[in-house]
C-alpha cells in the first residue's frame, strides 16, 4: 500500500517535470525514482536491470526509453534547476528527482 503511494507521488513528480506520460520511459523513470528513493546506494545498472526484468525487457531498452522520455521534457532542466550548458545524464536526473521525492514526501523513505 505504501509502495503504491510512493509510486503515485513519483509519477506526479515526473509528470510535473514535463515528461510526457504516454511514453514508456515515463513509467520506467518513475520506477527508477522510487528505487533510488528507497535505497540511495543502488547503482543505475541495477535499477535498469530490475526494471527490465519487471517489464520483460532488456537493460538497453530501458536506458533508451528513459533517455528519450527525458529528452522530450520541455522544461526539465529549469524544473530541476540544472544549468542549461551542463551535460546531464539519466543518473543525475533520477537522483535529483529521488531527492525531491524524499523532501516532498518524507514518509517515502
Amino acid at each position: 500500500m505504501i509502495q503504491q503511494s510512493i509510486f503515485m507521488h513519483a509519477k506526479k513528480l515526473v509528470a510535473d517535470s514535463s515528461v510526457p506520460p504516454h511514453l514508456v520511459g515515463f513509467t520506467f523513470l518513475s520506477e527508477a525514482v522510487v528505487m533510488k528513493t528507497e535505497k540511495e546506494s543502488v547503482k543505475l545498472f541495477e535499477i535498469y536491470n530490475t526494471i527490465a526484468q519487471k517489464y520483460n525487457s532488456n537493460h538497453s531498452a530501458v536506458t533508451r526509453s528513459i533517455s528519450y522520455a527525458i529528452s522530450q521534457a520541455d522544461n526539465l532542466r529549469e524544473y530541476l534547476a540544472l544549468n542549461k550548458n551542463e551535460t546531464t545524464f539519466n543518473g543525475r536526473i533520477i537522483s535529483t528527482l529521488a531527492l525531491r521525492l524524499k523532501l516532498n514526501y518524507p514518509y517515502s523513505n
Side-chain angles (χ1 to χ4, degrees):
M1 184 76 168
I2 293 174
Q3 175 67 16
Q4 186 64 20
S5 174
I6 296 169
F7 183 66
M8 295 307 292
H9 288 300
K11 284 175 56 174
K12 180 176 178 357
L13 187 66
V14 173
D16 288 349
S17 65
S18 76
V19 175
H22 68 278
L23 299 174
V24 174
F26 175 89
T27 304
F28 292 170
L29 183 57
S30 299
E31 293 261 356
V33 168
V34 169
M35 291 175 67
K36 190 68 170 176
T37 301
E38 291 175 340
K39 186 177 178 189
E40 289 180 30
S41 63
V42 68
K43 304 278 188 210
L44 200 56
F45 183 79
E46 295 172 41
I47 291 173
Y48 289 165
N49 281 337
T50 303
I51 293 170
Q53 288 174 353
K54 180 176 180 177
Y55 291 95
N56 197 26
S57 186
N58 61 51
H59 176 272
S60 61
V62 171
T63 304
R64 282 192 311 270
S65 294
I66 290 175
S67 293
Y68 182 72
I70 288 170
S71 74
Q72 296 303 301
D74 294 330
N75 65 348
L76 184 60
R77 288 179 188 267
E78 292 83 15
Y79 180 75
L80 297 177
L82 299 173
N83 184 345
K84 284 190 175 198
N85 297 325
E86 181 179 352
T87 303
T88 58
F89 299 100
N90 294 357
R92 170 83 188 266
I93 291 170
I94 290 168
S95 294
T96 304
L97 287 171
L99 180 60
R100 282 201 176 205
L101 183 63
K102 272 189 171 182
L103 293 174
N104 293 331
Y105 307 102
Y107 56 88
S108 63
N109 27 346

